[in-house]
Amino acid sequence: MDLHLEGKVAVVTGASKGIGLAITRAMAEEGVRVVAAARTVGGPLAELAAGGRVRPVAVDLTDPDGPARAVREAVEAFGGLDILVNNVGAVSPRLDGFLSVSDEEWTWGLTINFLTAVRAARAALPYLIERGAASIVNVSSVNAFLPDPGVIDYCAAKAALTNLSKALSKEFGPRGVRVNTVSPGPVETDLWLGDRGVAATLAAESGNTPDDVVARTAAQTVTGRFTRAEEVADLVLLLASDRAGNSTGSDHTIDGGLITTL
Ligand SMILES: NC(=O)c1ccc[n+]([C@@H]2O[C@H](COP(=O)([O-])OP(=O)(O)OC[C@H]3O[C@@H](n4cnc5c(N)ncnc54)[C@H](OP(=O)(O)O)[C@@H]3O)[C@@H](O)[C@H]2O)c1
């Protein structure tokens, strides 16, 4: 299927590894010119940049001006913007419960998982509207509707992100901007599997190994495995494409059947 993405311009946040890197790679393969934002832009992202379609931008997206910097870079380098993928996010397990979570920790969780997307959308929308047909895809989480006290600030921030997406779809749909959300369950990235990822943190707390934690989590899904970053990327690309031109304000779960309700 031709996704009609050749020649489009995109900003992808949190693009140096994991899901964001997979989205950036898939977009470049489809002929999209991508501004790829993260704090560190070496390694695989630098390799992708050598192909000529990917422009890495080293930026801390929690800085109030960080998201706008990425958008400005796309407009200056490529003359406009067709697609914004708000992918950046992070989780810090709150092992001692709600009463132990400080204001500082709440501010961190809400900033990295929610405010980054608010700020990127605010910077990008004037340019997206100019195109007549454009798209925002927000990478949320099943935790937007699966509240978990162990990651309470992450859940609240992702719920806010999914809610924001729907509201933006209503306001900007009439001006040609579609806004959709992707909600992954556990994905094979550093967020879960890295040295300081969810599995390692929960394992240290419970006395199990990270592999045990992963196996138990995978067993809660119907497919029996974590989602691969490339599978999330393919879904994001479809939503970004005019092939999904009448999808807006929708949320797409990709979780191997982890969520058991409709
Ligand atoms: N993995 C999962 O199981 C899962 C499940 C549901 C939803 N999600 C969501 O999917 C998205 C991507 O997650 P992932 O699993 O791919 O995470 P990841 O592997 O930890 O990658 C996170 C990316 O964000 C960048 N980043 C983090 N903090 C940043 C900051 N302050 N400024 C700029 N860039 C920053 C990181 O690059 P630098 O460190 O170089 O800055 C990296 O490129 C997140 O929104 C996450 O909540 C993930």
Side-chain angles (χ1 to χ4, degrees):
M1 188 196 295
D2 179 358
L3 291 174
H4 307 156
L5 290 173
E6 176 88 40
K8 302 284 186 193
V9 178
V11 167
V12 178
T13 68
S16 65
K17 60 181 182 173
I19 295 168
L21 181 66
I23 294 168
T24 301
R25 179 175 289 122
M27 283 192 167
E29 284 168 5
E30 292 295 319
V32 180
R33 288 165 294 167
V34 188
V35 164
R39 288 167 303 185
T40 50
V41 294
L45 194 51
E47 281 167 34
L48 268 185
R53 290 202 178 106
V54 174
R55 191 176 179 93
V57 176
V59 59
D60 185 341
L61 291 160
T62 62
D63 284 350
D65 189 46
R69 266 192 56 203
V71 169
R72 277 198 302 274
E73 185 77 21
V75 172
E76 284 166 21
F78 300 131
L81 187 64
D82 302 284
I83 299 162
L84 169 64
V85 181
N86 283 312
N87 167 77
V88 71
V91 63
S92 178
R94 307 301 183 193
L95 301 175
D96 298 320
F98 167 69
L99 294 179
S100 75
V101 185
S102 66
D103 266 10
E104 195 182 24
E105 289 167 330
W106 273 102
T107 300
W108 174 83
L110 290 166
T111 301
I112 188 78
N113 292 298
F114 175 60
L115 264 186
T116 50
V118 171
R119 291 165 175 158
R122 192 164 51 213
L125 273 160
Y127 301 105
L128 296 172
I129 290 166
E130 266 179 20
R131 296 296 222 210
S135 172
I136 298 177
V137 183
N138 292 323
V139 181
S140 188
S141 165
V142 291
N143 286 126
F145 42 89
L146 184 65
D148 179 346
V151 285
I152 196 163
D153 50 319
Y154 180 76
C155 294
K158 290 296 191 181
L161 177 62
T162 300
N163 190 289
L164 171 85
S165 305
K166 187 72 173 175
L168 291 180
S169 75
K170 292 178 183 176
E171 182 173 347
F172 294 99
R175 281 179 268 177
V177 184
R178 295 181 299 108
V179 187
N180 292 289
T181 305
V182 167
S183 291
V187 183
E188 288 175 350
T189 68
D190 279 359
L191 182 145
W192 250 97
L193 307 179
D195 291 345
R196 292 192 296 168
V198 174
T201 308
L202 297 184
E205 174 74 2
S206 63
N208 294 304
T209 66
D211 285 348
D212 289 337
V213 174
V214 170
R216 265 208 305 275
T217 306
Q220 291 170 28
T221 67
V222 174
T223 57
R225 66 170 176 86
F226 279 34
T227 301
R228 290 185 274 274
E230 292 73 20
E231 293 170 322
V232 182
D234 287 348
L235 183 52
V236 169
L237 262 70
L238 180 62
L239 288 169
S241 155
D242 64 12
R243 291 283 188 178
N246 210 29
S247 283
T248 195
S250 62
D251 178 49
H252 299 260
T253 301
I254 174 165
D255 69 344
L258 177 78
I259 300 292
T260 54
T261 50
L262 290 175

